[in-house]
Amino acid sequence: MSVLNPGATIGVLGSGQLGRMMAQAASRLGYKVACFSPDATPTPCAQVGAREVTGSYDDLDAVAAFAKSVDVVTFEFENVSSAAAEMAAQYAPVRPGGHVLHTTQNRLREKCFLQGIGVPTAAFQAVESASDCDSFRYPAILKTAGFGYDGKGQRKVGSAVEAKAAFLELGEQACILEELVAFAYEASIVAVRGGDGSFVAFPLVRNDHVNHILDLTTVPLVGSAEAETLAQGILEALDVVGVLCVELFVTPAGQLLVNELAPRPHNSGHWSIEGAATSQFEQQVRAVCGLPLGSTALRSPGIAMANLLGDVWPADETLAPNWAAALAIPGLHLHLYGKAQARKGRKMGHLTALAATSEEAVERVLRARQLL
């Protein structure tokens, strides 16, 4: 894999906050960024200097023209058709490749892949018709097989009758039933693989969700060695070049069960901007451009990240959150994503706190958010 030196242009399919933070990291390294997005308004990515191209992911001619204008293509949003990735690959290297998208954007293909390489997951079953719900143990989660995130396209069901009703409610599209895991907590590990097979991973972190949306990430967490081994096996089996997040359930007995894969920088890795020697976004740039991967060493013994949703903003649009009060807290860092309208449940930004211990970092970041 040849090196793309600074000055080259990185093309990003997607233009949200992940693209924004990736573009910021790329700019510091001297790369130009272009983003491809179906949104016609100035996007979070375009606001930090990325050239913006507006078009549909299904418009393969537009995708081809975009790929011709850049030196490498990557993703900040995995719900892009594999056909678009294949089209882009005719004109520029695509990292990670379209085969990675094909596997990870469909929950059933993803679970079958994980099962095939011996990675532990919750029990699961394909659902193509209502009768498929009869032969499964409940309670369970019924999920659409494709295109779901942040709790979208899934229902908790306690019986075959409830599962069949949920299947009809979801439009009778292909689904997957997954055993409801009695986990102690959720965790994730963000890992990176270069085109030469080099591999690094950030520490395992704990994730707490509210209404299926990540609320709080705490760093670090015990069990990183086992999680890193799992992650390395997954990235190698998928031949990933770039960043991939492995989302996990941790059982009361300490067993790690893989829940989902995200082949891009991840919300639970945002803390790495201030908290690690090399952020997940810089790692993505390094990996897709063929540069050596950076160190994942922590810059602080305790780190915590809290999401800022639109719920934080006052109902009166003439008012704003109390940023000054939050930023008065030592070790506190604010990231806003440049989204014009705050809506309930919409990710608008995040706070990261560094401290002497994880407990102190959590206290700081939650206090800062409360002060807003």
Side-chain angles (χ1 to χ4, degrees):
M1 176 175 162
S2 60
V3 174
L4 289 175
N5 287 312
T9 299
I10 301 170
V12 182
L13 294 180
S15 60
Q17 61 263 24
L18 299 177
R20 178 189 183 95
M21 290 179 273
M22 193 191 306
Q24 290 169 325
S27 178
R28 286 193 296 273
L29 289 173
Y31 290 92
K32 297 186 284 290
V33 173
C35 59
F36 185 92
S37 170
D39 299 323
T41 57
T43 61
C45 189
Q47 289 173 18
V48 295
R51 172 169 60 88
E52 187 171 33
V53 175
T54 302
S56 167
Y57 298 127
D58 296 326
D59 185 344
L60 298 185
D61 289 336
V63 171
F66 176 75
K68 290 176 185 177
S69 73
V70 301
D71 297 298
V72 65
V73 173
T74 189
F75 306 93
E76 67 102 54
F77 177 69
E78 68 264 39
N79 286 345
V80 176
S81 71
S82 55
E86 290 167 4
M87 175 60 77
Q90 295 183 37
Y91 303 100
V94 176
R95 299 169 183 155
H99 67 283
V100 178
L101 278 187
H102 179 74
T103 298
T104 59
Q105 68 186 194
N106 181 283
R107 291 176 169 125
L108 184 58
R109 284 198 295 267
E110 182 175 270
K111 282 291 196 298
C112 290
F113 158 75
L114 292 169
Q115 184 183 63
I117 62 171
V119 170
T121 70
F124 66 93
Q125 177 175 295
V127 177
E128 296 180 348
S129 66
S131 62
D132 292 329
C133 300
D134 289 327
S135 57
F136 198 74
R137 60 178 177 266
Y138 295 89
I141 303 288
L142 181 72
K143 303 177 179 179
T144 55
F147 300 101
Y149 61 97
D150 286 347
K152 295 177 174 63
Q154 56 184 272
R155 304 285 188 275
K156 182 178 177 180
V157 291
S159 66
V161 171
E162 289 183 11
K164 289 176 181 180
F167 179 67
L168 293 174
E169 184 183 335
L170 291 169
E172 299 184 73
Q173 59 183 300
C175 287
I176 180 172
L177 267 172
E178 296 182 8
E179 176 187 14
L180 189 63
V181 176
F183 54 83
Y185 53 87
E186 294 179 81
S188 63
I189 183 165
V190 174
V192 198
R193 185 170 178 269
D196 60 354
S198 56
F199 175 87
V200 296
F202 292 93
L204 184 69
V205 300
R206 172 172 175 150
N207 298 319
D208 293 290
H209 293 76
V210 174
N211 296 326
H212 301 289
I213 299 174
L214 181 61
D215 183 65
L216 176 71
T217 293
T218 308
V219 190
L221 188 64
V222 296
S224 279
E226 182 183 354
E228 185 172 330
T229 299
L230 272 177
Q232 186 165 8
I234 291 167
L235 270 72
E236 288 179 353
L238 267 177
D239 192 23
V240 171
V241 176
V243 171
L244 182 140
C245 178
V246 182
E247 301 177 38
L248 301 147
F249 295 129
V250 184
T251 71
Q255 182 186 13
L256 300 180
L257 299 176
V258 174
N259 179 29
E260 292 185 350
L261 307 177
R264 53 169 172 73
H266 193 262
N267 196 171
S268 67
H270 290 354
W271 61 268
S272 63
I273 297 173
E274 287 85 22
T278 314
S279 76
Q280 64 169 345
F281 300 102
E282 181 175 331
Q283 298 282 27
Q284 178 80 344
V285 172
R286 285 171 173 251
V288 304
C289 292
L291 297 175
L293 304 182
S295 167
T296 57
L298 298 183
R299 288 175 166 169
S300 175
I303 308 164
M305 186 280 301
N307 267 336
L308 296 177
L309 303 184
D311 312 54
V312 171
W313 271 248
D316 184 344
E317 295 183 0
T318 65
L319 303 176
N322 193 346
W323 305 119
L327 289 169
I329 295 175
L332 200 284
H333 302 270
L334 169 67
H335 292 262
L336 294 176
Y337 303 150
K339 297 179 180 179
Q341 186 178 12
R343 296 194 302 266
K344 186 177 179 64
R346 189 183 198 193
K347 294 175 183 176
M348 300 294 292
H350 70 268
L351 296 168
T352 300
L354 308 184
T357 65
S358 296
E359 294 77 11
E360 185 180 354
V362 168
E363 187 277 329
R364 285 183 181 182
V365 81
L366 293 181
R367 178 158 50 95
R369 187 169 62 182
Q370 188 175 31
L371 287 171
L372 293 176

